[in-house]
Tab-separated table of all heavy atoms in Angstrom:
chain	number	residue	atom	x	y	z
A	115	MET	N	-44.543	-26.796	-12.708
A	115	MET	CA	-44.222	-28.122	-13.241
A	115	MET	C	-45.498	-28.956	-13.328
A	115	MET	O	-46.195	-29.143	-12.354
A	115	MET	CB	-43.219	-28.821	-12.319
A	115	MET	CG	-41.826	-28.251	-12.410
A	115	MET	SD	-41.031	-28.753	-13.934
A	115	MET	CE	-39.646	-27.615	-13.907
A	116	GLU	N	-45.804	-29.455	-14.513
A	116	GLU	CA	-47.061	-30.159	-14.726
A	116	GLU	C	-46.863	-31.638	-14.992
A	116	GLU	O	-47.640	-32.466	-14.549
A	116	GLU	CB	-47.793	-29.554	-15.934
A	116	GLU	CG	-48.137	-28.084	-15.767
A	116	GLU	CD	-49.188	-27.866	-14.696
A	116	GLU	OE1	-50.096	-28.711	-14.586
A	116	GLU	OE2	-49.099	-26.865	-13.980
A	117	LYS	N	-45.825	-31.986	-15.742
A	117	LYS	CA	-45.688	-33.353	-16.244
A	117	LYS	C	-45.145	-34.285	-15.168
A	117	LYS	O	-44.066	-34.064	-14.639
A	117	LYS	CB	-44.720	-33.320	-17.431
A	117	LYS	CG	-44.854	-34.470	-18.368
A	117	LYS	CD	-43.983	-34.242	-19.587
A	117	LYS	CE	-43.181	-35.497	-19.875
A	117	LYS	NZ	-42.061	-35.243	-20.765
A	118	LYS	N	-45.912	-35.323	-14.860
A	118	LYS	CA	-45.468	-36.287	-13.844
A	118	LYS	C	-44.542	-37.313	-14.470
A	118	LYS	O	-44.857	-37.865	-15.514
A	118	LYS	CB	-46.657	-37.078	-13.304
A	118	LYS	CG	-47.655	-36.287	-12.549
A	118	LYS	CD	-48.810	-37.212	-12.176
A	118	LYS	CE	-50.071	-36.406	-12.037
A	118	LYS	NZ	-51.266	-37.235	-11.982
A	119	ASN	N	-43.458	-37.610	-13.803
A	119	ASN	CA	-42.646	-38.766	-14.175
A	119	ASN	C	-43.000	-39.870	-13.181
A	119	ASN	O	-42.584	-39.823	-12.022
A	119	ASN	CB	-41.156	-38.428	-14.117
A	119	ASN	CG	-40.298	-39.608	-14.533
A	119	ASN	OD1	-40.752	-40.753	-14.538
A	119	ASN	ND2	-39.064	-39.325	-14.886
A	120	HIS	N	-43.763	-40.848	-13.647
A	120	HIS	CA	-44.251	-41.889	-12.741
A	120	HIS	C	-43.148	-42.791	-12.229
A	120	HIS	O	-43.370	-43.595	-11.339
A	120	HIS	CB	-45.355	-42.711	-13.421
A	120	HIS	CG	-46.648	-41.957	-13.497
A	120	HIS	ND1	-47.078	-41.353	-14.643
A	120	HIS	CD2	-47.558	-41.669	-12.544
A	120	HIS	CE1	-48.239	-40.734	-14.400
A	120	HIS	NE2	-48.551	-40.918	-13.141
A	121	SER	N	-41.967	-42.662	-12.797
A	121	SER	CA	-40.824	-43.445	-12.311
A	121	SER	C	-40.130	-42.772	-11.132
A	121	SER	O	-39.275	-43.381	-10.503
A	121	SER	CB	-39.805	-43.641	-13.433
A	121	SER	OG	-40.389	-44.359	-14.489
A	122	ILE	N	-40.465	-41.505	-10.872
A	122	ILE	CA	-39.808	-40.784	-9.780
A	122	ILE	C	-40.865	-40.220	-8.838
A	122	ILE	O	-41.402	-39.137	-9.049
A	122	ILE	CB	-38.908	-39.638	-10.302
A	122	ILE	CG1	-37.959	-40.132	-11.391
A	122	ILE	CG2	-38.124	-39.020	-9.130
A	122	ILE	CD1	-37.103	-39.033	-12.022
A	123	GLU	N	-41.195	-40.985	-7.801
A	123	GLU	CA	-42.101	-40.487	-6.771
A	123	GLU	C	-41.332	-39.550	-5.856
A	123	GLU	O	-40.199	-39.850	-5.471
A	123	GLU	CB	-42.615	-41.650	-5.925
A	123	GLU	CG	-44.006	-42.087	-6.276
A	123	GLU	CD	-44.543	-43.080	-5.264
A	123	GLU	OE1	-44.183	-44.262	-5.370
A	123	GLU	OE2	-45.313	-42.657	-4.398
A	124	CYS	N	-41.928	-38.456	-5.462
A	124	CYS	CA	-41.249	-37.505	-4.587
A	124	CYS	C	-42.292	-36.690	-3.836
A	124	CYS	O	-43.290	-36.263	-4.407
A	124	CYS	CB	-40.354	-36.579	-5.409
A	124	CYS	SG	-39.498	-35.381	-4.369
A	125	SER	N	-42.044	-36.472	-2.553
A	125	SER	CA	-42.996	-35.715	-1.729
A	125	SER	C	-42.449	-34.352	-1.317
A	125	SER	O	-43.017	-33.694	-0.453
A	125	SER	CB	-43.349	-36.534	-0.482
A	125	SER	OG	-42.175	-36.790	0.272
A	126	VAL	N	-41.354	-33.943	-1.944
A	126	VAL	CA	-40.725	-32.665	-1.559
A	126	VAL	C	-41.400	-31.520	-2.324
A	126	VAL	O	-40.959	-31.109	-3.404
A	126	VAL	CB	-39.203	-32.698	-1.828
A	126	VAL	CG1	-38.552	-31.419	-1.324
A	126	VAL	CG2	-38.567	-33.910	-1.146
A	127	LYS	N	-42.482	-31.016	-1.738
A	127	LYS	CA	-43.285	-30.006	-2.430
A	127	LYS	C	-42.560	-28.668	-2.577
A	127	LYS	O	-42.929	-27.837	-3.402
A	127	LYS	CB	-44.595	-29.798	-1.673
A	127	LYS	CG	-45.501	-31.017	-1.706
A	127	LYS	CD	-46.819	-30.743	-1.013
A	127	LYS	CE	-47.857	-31.838	-1.251
A	127	LYS	NZ	-47.422	-33.175	-0.916
A	128	GLN	N	-41.542	-28.458	-1.754
A	128	GLN	CA	-40.801	-27.198	-1.818
A	128	GLN	C	-39.877	-27.123	-3.026
A	128	GLN	O	-39.335	-26.054	-3.333
A	128	GLN	CB	-39.961	-27.014	-0.541
A	128	GLN	CG	-40.767	-26.815	0.721
A	128	GLN	CD	-41.266	-28.138	1.318
A	128	GLN	OE1	-41.050	-29.228	0.786
A	128	GLN	NE2	-41.957	-28.034	2.449
A	129	CYS	N	-39.697	-28.233	-3.713
A	129	CYS	CA	-38.790	-28.259	-4.857
A	129	CYS	C	-39.487	-27.703	-6.100
A	129	CYS	O	-40.651	-28.014	-6.367
A	129	CYS	CB	-38.325	-29.690	-5.120
A	129	CYS	SG	-37.182	-29.802	-6.507
A	130	ALA	N	-38.753	-26.928	-6.868
A	130	ALA	CA	-39.299	-26.338	-8.094
A	130	ALA	C	-39.618	-27.400	-9.141
A	130	ALA	O	-40.416	-27.156	-10.050
A	130	ALA	CB	-38.297	-25.340	-8.669
A	131	ASN	N	-39.023	-28.582	-9.027
A	131	ASN	CA	-39.258	-29.653	-10.003
A	131	ASN	C	-40.407	-30.581	-9.622
A	131	ASN	O	-40.721	-31.514	-10.352
A	131	ASN	CB	-37.978	-30.483	-10.168
A	131	ASN	CG	-36.849	-29.652	-10.714
A	131	ASN	OD1	-37.051	-28.824	-11.591
A	131	ASN	ND2	-35.652	-29.850	-10.187
A	132	HIS	N	-41.037	-30.338	-8.478
A	132	HIS	CA	-42.131	-31.184	-7.994
A	132	HIS	C	-43.415	-30.878	-8.768
A	132	HIS	O	-43.669	-29.722	-9.118
A	132	HIS	CB	-42.349	-30.915	-6.491
A	132	HIS	CG	-43.303	-31.853	-5.847
A	132	HIS	ND1	-44.653	-31.596	-5.749
A	132	HIS	CD2	-43.103	-33.060	-5.264
A	132	HIS	CE1	-45.239	-32.601	-5.127
A	132	HIS	NE2	-44.325	-33.503	-4.818
A	133	CYS	N	-44.220	-31.918	-9.060
A	133	CYS	CA	-45.527	-31.695	-9.679
A	133	CYS	C	-46.453	-31.066	-8.649
A	133	CYS	O	-46.501	-31.525	-7.515
A	133	CYS	CB	-46.119	-33.010	-10.137
A	133	CYS	SG	-45.286	-33.676	-11.550
A	134	GLU	N	-47.179	-30.095	-9.067
A	134	GLU	CA	-47.966	-29.350	-8.092
A	134	GLU	C	-49.077	-30.176	-7.467
A	134	GLU	O	-49.382	-30.029	-6.298
A	134	GLU	CB	-48.542	-28.097	-8.754
A	134	GLU	CG	-47.430	-27.137	-9.096
A	134	GLU	CD	-47.935	-25.841	-9.684
A	134	GLU	OE1	-49.155	-25.619	-9.657
A	134	GLU	OE2	-47.095	-25.066	-10.160
A	135	ASN	N	-49.690	-31.048	-8.261
A	135	ASN	CA	-50.880	-31.740	-7.761
A	135	ASN	C	-50.671	-33.194	-7.415
A	135	ASN	O	-51.625	-33.885	-7.079
A	135	ASN	CB	-51.994	-31.640	-8.805
A	135	ASN	CG	-52.309	-30.200	-9.107
A	135	ASN	OD1	-52.369	-29.376	-8.197
A	135	ASN	ND2	-52.482	-29.885	-10.370
A	136	ALA	N	-49.452	-33.669	-7.521
A	136	ALA	CA	-49.201	-35.084	-7.236
A	136	ALA	C	-47.784	-35.257	-6.722
A	136	ALA	O	-46.925	-34.416	-6.962
A	136	ALA	CB	-49.401	-35.909	-8.494
A	137	ASP	N	-47.564	-36.349	-6.007
A	137	ASP	CA	-46.255	-36.577	-5.410
A	137	ASP	C	-45.307	-37.259	-6.389
A	137	ASP	O	-44.910	-38.425	-6.213
A	137	ASP	CB	-46.396	-37.398	-4.118
A	137	ASP	CG	-46.679	-36.497	-2.925
A	137	ASP	OD1	-46.614	-35.260	-3.088
A	137	ASP	OD2	-46.959	-37.018	-1.846
A	138	TYR	N	-44.979	-36.520	-7.423
A	138	TYR	CA	-44.024	-36.999	-8.421
A	138	TYR	C	-43.102	-35.863	-8.817
A	138	TYR	O	-43.445	-34.678	-8.686
A	138	TYR	CB	-44.746	-37.500	-9.677
A	138	TYR	CG	-45.513	-38.769	-9.447
A	138	TYR	CD1	-46.871	-38.728	-9.191
A	138	TYR	CD2	-44.869	-40.003	-9.464
A	138	TYR	CE1	-47.592	-39.891	-8.957
A	138	TYR	CE2	-45.580	-41.174	-9.232
A	138	TYR	CZ	-46.930	-41.113	-8.977
A	138	TYR	OH	-47.628	-42.268	-8.744
A	139	CYS	N	-41.946	-36.274	-9.343
A	139	CYS	CA	-41.010	-35.323	-9.931
A	139	CYS	C	-41.414	-35.103	-11.384
A	139	CYS	O	-41.937	-36.003	-12.030
A	139	CYS	CB	-39.600	-35.906	-9.839
A	139	CYS	SG	-38.323	-34.789	-10.442
A	140	ALA	N	-41.140	-33.921	-11.890
A	140	ALA	CA	-41.472	-33.617	-13.278
A	140	ALA	C	-40.268	-33.759	-14.211
A	140	ALA	O	-40.428	-33.666	-15.431
A	140	ALA	CB	-42.037	-32.206	-13.375
A	141	LEU	N	-39.101	-33.994	-13.664
A	141	LEU	CA	-37.919	-34.134	-14.512
A	141	LEU	C	-37.896	-35.504	-15.193
A	141	LEU	O	-38.491	-36.460	-14.705
A	141	LEU	CB	-36.646	-33.983	-13.667
A	141	LEU	CG	-36.430	-32.632	-12.996
A	141	LEU	CD1	-35.138	-32.675	-12.174
A	141	LEU	CD2	-36.376	-31.508	-14.016
A	142	GLU	N	-37.182	-35.583	-16.319
A	142	GLU	CA	-37.012	-36.884	-16.990
A	142	GLU	C	-36.061	-37.772	-16.218
A	142	GLU	O	-36.169	-38.993	-16.243
A	142	GLU	CB	-36.468	-36.683	-18.403
A	142	GLU	CG	-37.514	-36.216	-19.359
A	142	GLU	CD	-36.992	-36.176	-20.788
A	142	GLU	OE1	-35.961	-36.805	-21.081
A	142	GLU	OE2	-37.625	-35.485	-21.588
A	143	LYS	N	-35.081	-37.144	-15.580
A	143	LYS	CA	-34.147	-37.906	-14.750
A	143	LYS	C	-33.658	-37.005	-13.634
A	143	LYS	O	-33.715	-35.780	-13.743
A	143	LYS	CB	-32.972	-38.431	-15.578
A	143	LYS	CG	-32.085	-37.330	-16.127
A	143	LYS	CD	-30.849	-37.913	-16.769
A	143	LYS	CE	-29.896	-36.794	-17.160
A	143	LYS	NZ	-28.659	-37.288	-17.772
A	144	ILE	N	-33.205	-37.624	-12.565
A	144	ILE	CA	-32.638	-36.880	-11.442
A	144	ILE	C	-31.292	-37.480	-11.089
A	144	ILE	O	-30.957	-38.575	-11.542
A	144	ILE	CB	-33.551	-36.925	-10.197
A	144	ILE	CG1	-33.763	-38.358	-9.722
A	144	ILE	CG2	-34.855	-36.199	-10.445
A	144	ILE	CD1	-34.277	-38.474	-8.316
A	145	ARG	N	-30.558	-36.748	-10.267
A	145	ARG	CA	-29.284	-37.261	-9.790
A	145	ARG	C	-29.375	-37.401	-8.275
A	145	ARG	O	-29.777	-36.460	-7.575
A	145	ARG	CB	-28.170	-36.292	-10.152
A	145	ARG	CG	-26.800	-36.774	-9.711
A	145	ARG	CD	-25.734	-35.728	-10.019
A	145	ARG	NE	-24.458	-36.170	-9.496
A	145	ARG	CZ	-23.554	-36.857	-10.184
A	145	ARG	NH1	-23.791	-37.150	-11.443
A	145	ARG	NH2	-22.428	-37.234	-9.627
A	146	VAL	N	-29.007	-38.572	-7.774
A	146	VAL	CA	-28.987	-38.825	-6.335
A	146	VAL	C	-27.535	-38.960	-5.892
A	146	VAL	O	-26.719	-39.579	-6.575
A	146	VAL	CB	-29.772	-40.112	-5.998
A	146	VAL	CG1	-29.648	-40.451	-4.523
A	146	VAL	CG2	-31.236	-39.948	-6.378
A	147	GLY	N	-27.225	-38.345	-4.764
A	147	GLY	CA	-25.871	-38.425	-4.234
A	147	GLY	C	-25.901	-38.537	-2.726
A	147	GLY	O	-26.955	-38.739	-2.121
A	148	THR	N	-24.749	-38.409	-2.123
A	148	THR	CA	-24.664	-38.473	-0.667
A	148	THR	C	-23.748	-37.379	-0.141
A	148	THR	O	-22.827	-36.943	-0.838
A	148	THR	CB	-24.156	-39.848	-0.186
A	148	THR	OG1	-24.147	-39.862	1.241
A	148	THR	CG2	-22.757	-40.142	-0.691
A	149	HIS	N	-24.049	-36.943	1.067
A	149	HIS	CA	-23.196	-35.949	1.730
A	149	HIS	C	-22.337	-36.627	2.795
A	149	HIS	O	-21.674	-35.946	3.574
A	149	HIS	CB	-24.069	-34.849	2.351
A	149	HIS	CG	-25.144	-35.402	3.246
A	149	HIS	ND1	-26.392	-35.754	2.771
A	149	HIS	CD2	-25.144	-35.704	4.555
A	149	HIS	CE1	-27.111	-36.241	3.763
A	149	HIS	NE2	-26.381	-36.225	4.869
A	150	GLU	N	-22.377	-37.963	2.837
A	150	GLU	CA	-21.626	-38.713	3.851
A	150	GLU	C	-20.450	-39.430	3.194
A	150	GLU	O	-20.496	-39.770	2.018
A	150	GLU	CB	-22.535	-39.772	4.498
A	150	GLU	CG	-23.778	-39.235	5.151
A	150	GLU	CD	-23.514	-38.625	6.498
A	150	GLU	OE1	-22.402	-38.814	7.037
A	150	GLU	OE2	-24.407	-37.945	7.008
A	151	GLN	N	-19.418	-39.702	3.984
A	151	GLN	CA	-18.277	-40.481	3.493
A	151	GLN	C	-18.675	-41.948	3.323
A	151	GLN	O	-18.221	-42.630	2.427
A	151	GLN	CB	-17.137	-40.412	4.513
A	151	GLN	CG	-16.590	-39.018	4.719
A	151	GLN	CD	-15.251	-38.853	4.036
A	151	GLN	OE1	-14.510	-39.807	3.905
A	151	GLN	NE2	-14.958	-37.644	3.604
A	152	ASN	N	-19.530	-42.417	4.240
A	152	ASN	CA	-19.893	-43.825	4.251
A	152	ASN	C	-21.380	-43.950	4.562
A	152	ASN	O	-21.769	-44.191	5.699
A	152	ASN	CB	-19.041	-44.534	5.327
A	152	ASN	CG	-19.285	-46.028	5.327
A	152	ASN	OD1	-19.725	-46.587	4.317
A	152	ASN	ND2	-19.026	-46.673	6.448
A	153	PRO	N	-22.253	-43.740	3.574
A	153	PRO	CA	-23.697	-43.732	3.832
A	153	PRO	C	-24.211	-45.080	4.341
A	153	PRO	O	-23.806	-46.130	3.841
A	153	PRO	CB	-24.297	-43.400	2.464
A	153	PRO	CG	-23.224	-43.642	1.481
A	153	PRO	CD	-21.920	-43.496	2.173
A	154	THR	N	-25.073	-45.031	5.355
A	154	THR	CA	-25.584	-46.263	5.967
A	154	THR	C	-27.111	-46.320	6.018
A	154	THR	O	-27.687	-47.398	6.125
A	154	THR	CB	-25.064	-46.402	7.416
A	154	THR	OG1	-25.368	-45.196	8.120
A	154	THR	CG2	-23.564	-46.650	7.446
A	155	VAL	N	-27.775	-45.172	5.984
A	155	VAL	CA	-29.242	-45.139	6.040
A	155	VAL	C	-29.747	-44.145	4.991
A	155	VAL	O	-28.977	-43.350	4.448
A	155	VAL	CB	-29.754	-44.714	7.452
A	155	VAL	CG1	-29.467	-45.794	8.473
A	155	VAL	CG2	-29.180	-43.388	7.874
A	156	SER	N	-31.048	-44.209	4.715
A	156	SER	CA	-31.590	-43.389	3.629
A	156	SER	C	-31.408	-41.889	3.874
A	156	SER	O	-31.319	-41.111	2.924
A	156	SER	CB	-33.066	-43.713	3.414
A	156	SER	OG	-33.812	-43.436	4.573
A	157	GLN	N	-31.329	-41.499	5.146
A	157	GLN	CA	-31.128	-40.083	5.451
A	157	GLN	C	-29.776	-39.559	4.981
A	157	GLN	O	-29.549	-38.344	4.966
A	157	GLN	CB	-31.245	-39.829	6.969
A	157	GLN	CG	-32.659	-39.880	7.492
A	157	GLN	CD	-33.094	-41.299	7.864
A	157	GLN	OE1	-32.460	-42.290	7.486
A	157	GLN	NE2	-34.187	-41.402	8.598
A	158	CYS	N	-28.888	-40.449	4.630
A	158	CYS	CA	-27.543	-40.056	4.168
A	158	CYS	C	-27.523	-39.646	2.702
A	158	CYS	O	-26.523	-39.121	2.225
A	158	CYS	CB	-26.560	-41.201	4.353
A	158	CYS	SG	-26.312	-41.704	6.060
A	159	VAL	N	-28.612	-39.909	1.974
A	159	VAL	CA	-28.581	-39.620	0.541
A	159	VAL	C	-29.526	-38.472	0.198
A	159	VAL	O	-30.501	-38.200	0.900
A	159	VAL	CB	-28.905	-40.873	-0.304
A	159	VAL	CG1	-27.884	-41.967	-0.058
A	159	VAL	CG2	-30.305	-41.368	-0.032
A	160	ASP	N	-29.202	-37.812	-0.887
A	160	ASP	CA	-29.900	-36.577	-1.251
A	160	ASP	C	-30.256	-36.580	-2.732
A	160	ASP	O	-29.530	-37.147	-3.551
A	160	ASP	CB	-28.980	-35.366	-1.036
A	160	ASP	CG	-28.335	-35.363	0.325
A	160	ASP	OD1	-29.062	-35.197	1.303
A	160	ASP	OD2	-27.111	-35.550	0.390
A	161	CYS	N	-31.335	-35.889	-3.049
A	161	CYS	CA	-31.611	-35.592	-4.445
A	161	CYS	C	-30.810	-34.350	-4.804
A	161	CYS	O	-31.078	-33.256	-4.277
A	161	CYS	CB	-33.092	-35.326	-4.679
A	161	CYS	SG	-33.393	-34.860	-6.397
A	162	GLU	N	-29.853	-34.502	-5.677
A	162	GLU	CA	-28.992	-33.371	-6.045
A	162	GLU	C	-29.606	-32.550	-7.177
A	162	GLU	O	-29.023	-31.563	-7.611
A	162	GLU	CB	-27.600	-33.892	-6.421
A	162	GLU	CG	-26.903	-34.492	-5.204
A	162	GLU	CD	-25.508	-35.035	-5.500
A	162	GLU	OE1	-25.155	-35.172	-6.681
A	162	GLU	OE2	-24.781	-35.313	-4.526
A	163	SER	N	-30.794	-32.939	-7.612
A	163	SER	CA	-31.508	-32.148	-8.613
A	163	SER	C	-32.488	-31.181	-7.956
A	163	SER	O	-33.193	-30.444	-8.647
A	163	SER	CB	-32.264	-33.073	-9.568
A	163	SER	OG	-31.373	-33.961	-10.200
A	164	PHE	N	-32.527	-31.182	-6.632
A	164	PHE	CA	-33.422	-30.276	-5.891
A	164	PHE	C	-33.089	-28.823	-6.201
A	164	PHE	O	-31.924	-28.424	-6.199
A	164	PHE	CB	-33.272	-30.525	-4.389
A	164	PHE	CG	-34.025	-29.533	-3.540
A	164	PHE	CD1	-35.352	-29.741	-3.222
A	164	PHE	CD2	-33.397	-28.374	-3.066
A	164	PHE	CE1	-36.053	-28.825	-2.438
A	164	PHE	CE2	-34.087	-27.459	-2.287
A	164	PHE	CZ	-35.416	-27.688	-1.975
A	165	ILE	N	-34.127	-28.064	-6.479
A	165	ILE	CA	-33.997	-26.615	-6.623
A	165	ILE	C	-35.124	-26.012	-5.801
A	165	ILE	O	-36.287	-26.404	-5.952
A	165	ILE	CB	-34.178	-26.156	-8.089
A	165	ILE	CG1	-33.119	-26.791	-8.987
A	165	ILE	CG2	-34.120	-24.637	-8.191
A	165	ILE	CD1	-33.390	-26.538	-10.473
A	166	LEU	N	-34.802	-25.085	-4.952
A	166	LEU	CA	-35.840	-24.452	-4.137
A	166	LEU	C	-36.802	-23.692	-5.034
A	166	LEU	O	-36.386	-22.875	-5.859
A	166	LEU	CB	-35.219	-23.510	-3.108
A	166	LEU	CG	-36.214	-22.805	-2.190
A	166	LEU	CD1	-37.005	-23.806	-1.349
A	166	LEU	CD2	-35.502	-21.811	-1.302
A	167	GLY	N	-38.086	-23.991	-4.897
A	167	GLY	CA	-39.102	-23.297	-5.667
A	167	GLY	C	-39.347	-21.923	-5.071
A	167	GLY	O	-39.829	-21.812	-3.952
A	168	ALA	N	-39.018	-20.893	-5.812
A	168	ALA	CA	-39.094	-19.529	-5.286
A	168	ALA	C	-40.526	-19.130	-4.949
A	168	ALA	O	-40.767	-18.326	-4.059
A	168	ALA	CB	-38.508	-18.563	-6.302
A	169	HIS	N	-41.474	-19.730	-5.685
A	169	HIS	CA	-42.871	-19.350	-5.488
A	169	HIS	C	-43.547	-20.190	-4.416
A	169	HIS	O	-44.720	-19.995	-4.141
A	169	HIS	CB	-43.629	-19.501	-6.797
A	169	HIS	CG	-43.639	-20.891	-7.342
A	169	HIS	ND1	-42.504	-21.496	-7.846
A	169	HIS	CD2	-44.630	-21.803	-7.436
A	169	HIS	CE1	-42.816	-22.727	-8.236
A	169	HIS	NE2	-44.095	-22.931	-8.008
A	170	ARG	N	-42.791	-21.140	-3.828
A	170	ARG	CA	-43.410	-22.017	-2.836
A	170	ARG	C	-43.555	-21.316	-1.490
A	170	ARG	O	-42.686	-20.571	-1.075
A	170	ARG	CB	-42.554	-23.259	-2.602
A	170	ARG	CG	-42.320	-24.057	-3.842
A	170	ARG	CD	-43.540	-24.878	-4.158
A	170	ARG	NE	-43.328	-25.532	-5.442
A	170	ARG	CZ	-44.307	-25.985	-6.196
A	170	ARG	NH1	-45.534	-25.900	-5.805
A	170	ARG	NH2	-44.051	-26.542	-7.342
A	171	LYS	N	-44.627	-21.661	-0.823
A	171	LYS	CA	-44.821	-21.173	0.546
A	171	LYS	C	-43.981	-22.034	1.480
A	171	LYS	O	-43.915	-23.240	1.299
A	171	LYS	CB	-46.274	-21.292	0.965
A	171	LYS	CG	-47.171	-20.278	0.329
A	171	LYS	CD	-48.552	-20.399	0.921
A	171	LYS	CE	-49.516	-20.974	-0.095
A	171	LYS	NZ	-50.791	-21.332	0.386
A	172	THR	N	-43.380	-21.448	2.461
A	172	THR	CA	-42.698	-22.244	3.489
A	172	THR	C	-43.714	-22.492	4.588
A	172	THR	O	-44.233	-21.561	5.202
A	172	THR	CB	-41.466	-21.527	4.034
A	172	THR	OG1	-41.816	-20.193	4.314
A	172	THR	CG2	-40.329	-21.559	3.029
A	173	GLU	N	-44.050	-23.750	4.788
A	173	GLU	CA	-45.100	-24.084	5.763
A	173	GLU	C	-44.517	-24.622	7.031
A	173	GLU	O	-43.448	-25.149	7.032
A	173	GLU	CB	-46.045	-25.099	5.153
A	173	GLU	CG	-46.820	-24.487	4.008
A	173	GLU	CD	-47.601	-25.554	3.257
A	173	GLU	OE1	-48.434	-26.219	3.862
A	173	GLU	OE2	-47.380	-25.722	2.060
B	104	SF4	S1	-35.716	-32.770	-8.288
B	104	SF4	FE1	-35.540	-34.243	-6.590
B	104	SF4	S2	-36.436	-33.200	-4.814
B	104	SF4	FE2	-37.083	-32.109	-6.640
B	104	SF4	S3	-39.081	-32.987	-7.173
B	104	SF4	FE3	-37.526	-34.091	-8.361
B	104	SF4	S4	-37.008	-35.871	-7.103
B	104	SF4	FE4	-38.055	-34.404	-5.775
């Protein structure tokens, strides 16, 4: 993934949609959701566009 979307900052390097050289997403848009019934803090929400990058190293 090369193209940075400056509207979507992201530090999840393990994602296949992450820009390799910068902390941005390469998608035009993403979907955010929650795995909680009643989300109260940022840890309750998730990027549902995450795809595990098969070529990524697990560090
Ligand atoms: S899809 Fe979500 S987790 Fe993956 S790089 Fe984009 S914003 Fe980050």
Side-chain angles (χ1 to χ4, degrees):
M115 287 286 167
E116 299 292 323
K117 202 173 132 197
K118 294 176 207 167
N119 181 341
H120 285 102
S121 298
I122 309 176
E123 258 189 280
C124 180
S125 60
V126 185
K127 293 183 169 54
Q128 293 82 358
C129 181
N131 297 320
H132 188 268
C133 288
E134 292 183 10
N135 302 318
D137 274 352
Y138 291 98
C139 183
L141 297 179
E142 283 187 18
K143 66 172 187 179
I144 60 163
R145 181 184 176 93
V146 175
T148 182
H149 53 271
E150 302 282 348
Q151 297 255 330
N152 184 23
T154 53
V155 291
S156 61
Q157 286 87 345
C158 297
V159 299
D160 310 293
C161 176
E162 293 180 347
S163 302
F164 173 87
I165 299 171
L166 181 62
H169 61 291
R170 302 282 174 201
K171 286 186 251 171
T172 46
E173 293 171 59

